Amino acid sequence: MFSAEEAIGSQLPVHESGFTPEELNELLSFFESNEPVSSNSSSENSSRAIYSPDEKKQRRKISNRESAKRSRWRKKRYLENLTNQVNKMNIENRRLKNRLHLVLNQCHVVWVDNEQLRSESFALWAKLLDLY
């Protein structure tokens, strides 16, 4: 069987898979085994070895372990992705809070200026009325 490095180089383009070479090596190592892969031809199916119940149980245990290992690997990647998303959202939240703080400060400055202009307007109206 081929090595994980050969699989990465020849079969799985890293830019399309979204995985780093280390992640691909780890994932492909789950699928590598010492047993030859048989095709589904009828001649090979007829010459299949018949396993004893103990051998079947052992093979099932191995298969279950590999499945559990893949499941743990997927869960680990999923949690890492969620953690990255949380970190990005926290950064975005901080950025938005800072922006809101700046806008509120600007709003306060404009409000104070508006109050000052309104008060000047009333004073000018009063002078204008006194002139008439």
Side-chain angles (χ1 to χ4, degrees):
M1 185 165 224
F2 56 88
S3 69
E5 292 80 25
E6 292 170 346
I8 291 171
S10 64
Q11 293 183 353
L12 297 175
V14 175
H15 67 279
E16 291 179 10
S17 68
F19 292 108
T20 65
E22 295 81 22
E23 292 171 336
L24 286 173
N25 283 338
E26 185 179 349
L27 183 59
L28 289 172
S29 69
F30 292 132
F31 298 108
E32 291 180 348
S33 66
N34 294 332
E35 299 174 14
V37 177
S38 63
S39 66
N40 289 334
S41 68
S42 60
S43 63
E44 286 188 22
N45 286 341
S46 62
S47 66
R48 244 191 208 173
I50 298 177
Y51 297 107
S52 70
D54 289 338
E55 289 172 328
K56 285 182 183 179
K57 186 185 271 188
Q58 186 63 25
R59 288 173 61 86
R60 192 169 52 249
K61 275 185 181 180
I62 292 169
S63 175
N64 287 346
R65 284 184 189 136
E66 290 172 355
S67 177
K69 194 174 187 181
R70 287 189 302 272
S71 177
R72 287 189 300 271
W73 184 83
R74 283 191 305 269
K75 182 179 179 182
K76 180 181 175 185
R77 294 293 171 250
Y78 178 72
L79 288 175
E80 287 174 357
N81 288 337
L82 286 179
T83 301
N84 289 337
Q85 287 179 9
V86 166
N87 291 336
K88 287 177 185 176
M89 288 181 178
N90 282 335
I91 290 169
E92 178 70 7
N93 192 20
R94 266 185 266 139
R95 187 185 69 75
L96 290 172
K97 282 181 179 179
N98 288 339
R99 187 173 170 195
L100 176 64
H101 182 69
L102 290 173
V103 169
L104 288 175
N105 283 340
Q106 289 173 347
C107 181
H108 179 69
V109 168
V110 169
W111 184 81
V112 168
D113 287 346
N114 191 28
E115 286 297 314
Q116 182 181 357
L117 291 172
R118 188 175 285 130
S119 128
E120 288 177 14
S121 172
F122 287 136
L124 290 173
W125 273 105
K127 282 184 180 182
L128 186 61
L129 288 175
D130 286 343
L131 290 176
Y132 291 124

